[in-house]
Amino acid sequence: MTLETRFSHFSDYLFINLLNTVNSKNKTKADLLDEEGMMDEWLSLMKEKGLLSEQQVNKIKEKPVDRTEMKQFRDTWRSYFTTSDHDEDGLQSLINLTKKTPLSFEMNAEDLMPIPDKGGTAGLQSLLAFTMLNAYQDGIFEKVKGCSNETCLALFVDPKGKRKWCSMKVCGNRAKAQKHYEKRKQ
């Protein structure tokens, strides 16, 4: 099984990809971070897709990434985006993470690249917090939605406000096929 198959709900946003490490398989919740080595696989996929650089991944891998802490971070933010309770404490926690593990910046071919000062969990969370604060500032937080398929747990960014499903190929087709089936049945 390829990395892309395991992490099937891929986004252009690093934090959304972390939030989608929990999904539904055959109507059962599957937590990809429960498996040993999946954090490393996730980091490799993010590097392969250009969302993390080799320098960022190497810095993070200097220390172990605690899956339990990453799951707690993920679950807190999944809850933030799936409920209407958006308090300022959430944003302050992101600010605190970047203060706890500051970022330095290196120039790459296109722009500045943030590198956490520490590796491991603290470094990854600081980097995620930084990208999330940028997304908040750019108005992306308001565009994060959950899939309309009741059994799907995927989150996605809906830039135009019209999208209903995480993927038209998967959940959209299923919903339309079910609607067509029900209509023909009657």
Side-chain angles (χ1 to χ4, degrees):
M1 183 178 286
T2 67
L3 286 178
E4 287 185 56
T5 306
R6 293 186 86 145
F7 299 104
S8 57
H9 298 292
F10 187 78
S11 168
D12 291 336
Y13 297 91
L14 181 67
F15 73 98
I16 295 291
N17 292 325
L18 179 73
L19 299 180
N20 284 337
T21 57
V22 61
N23 60 35
S24 179
K25 300 259 188 205
N26 301 324
K27 298 182 181 182
T28 305
K29 184 178 175 181
D31 190 335
L32 299 174
L33 299 183
D34 278 345
E35 295 180 43
E36 188 70 39
M38 288 306 282
M39 253 343 292
D40 285 338
E41 286 190 38
W42 183 83
L43 288 168
S44 295
L45 180 61
M46 296 306 106
K47 183 174 88 173
E48 179 184 311
K49 295 295 186 176
L51 295 176
L52 289 174
S53 71
E54 188 167 344
Q55 297 95 315
Q56 290 169 321
V57 171
N58 288 342
K59 185 63 177 183
I60 291 166
K61 286 185 172 185
E62 284 180 1
K63 291 185 177 178
V65 176
D66 185 295
R67 289 183 318 190
T68 303
E69 285 186 52
M70 291 310 300
K71 286 169 62 170
Q72 184 178 12
F73 179 91
R74 178 201 60 203
D75 294 346
T76 298
W77 284 99
R78 280 189 63 81
S79 177
Y80 178 92
F81 288 113
T82 57
T83 63
S84 59
D85 186 26
H86 302 295
D87 59 13
E88 293 298 315
D89 291 341
L91 293 176
Q92 189 58 51
S93 73
L94 295 176
I95 292 167
N96 292 341
L97 283 170
T98 59
K99 285 180 180 178
K100 180 177 156 188
T101 303
L103 302 166
S104 56
F105 292 85
E106 292 183 11
M107 196 70 170
N108 69 10
E110 298 167 13
D111 54 357
L112 292 172
M113 177 180 39
I115 307 287
D117 286 348
K118 296 178 187 172
T121 308
L124 179 56
Q125 286 183 350
S126 180
L127 197 54
L128 283 162
F130 178 76
T131 63
M132 291 172 77
L133 289 167
N134 281 330
Y136 174 80
Q137 187 173 7
D138 292 342
I140 301 300
F141 272 30
E142 299 144 15
K143 298 172 183 175
V144 174
K145 292 173 67 176
C147 185
S148 291
N149 178 350
E150 293 173 5
T151 62
C152 182
L153 301 174
L155 297 173
F156 60 91
V157 175
D158 180 17
K160 296 180 183 174
K162 297 180 180 186
R163 200 167 141 192
K164 293 169 72 173
W165 299 289
C166 62
S167 164
M168 191 58 199
K169 290 179 184 175
V170 181
C171 291
N173 273 348
R174 285 182 189 149
K176 288 185 175 199
Q178 182 66 31
K179 186 176 179 181
H180 179 73
Y181 173 76
E182 294 296 325
K183 191 175 183 180
R184 287 187 57 117
K185 195 170 140 180
Q186 293 174 353

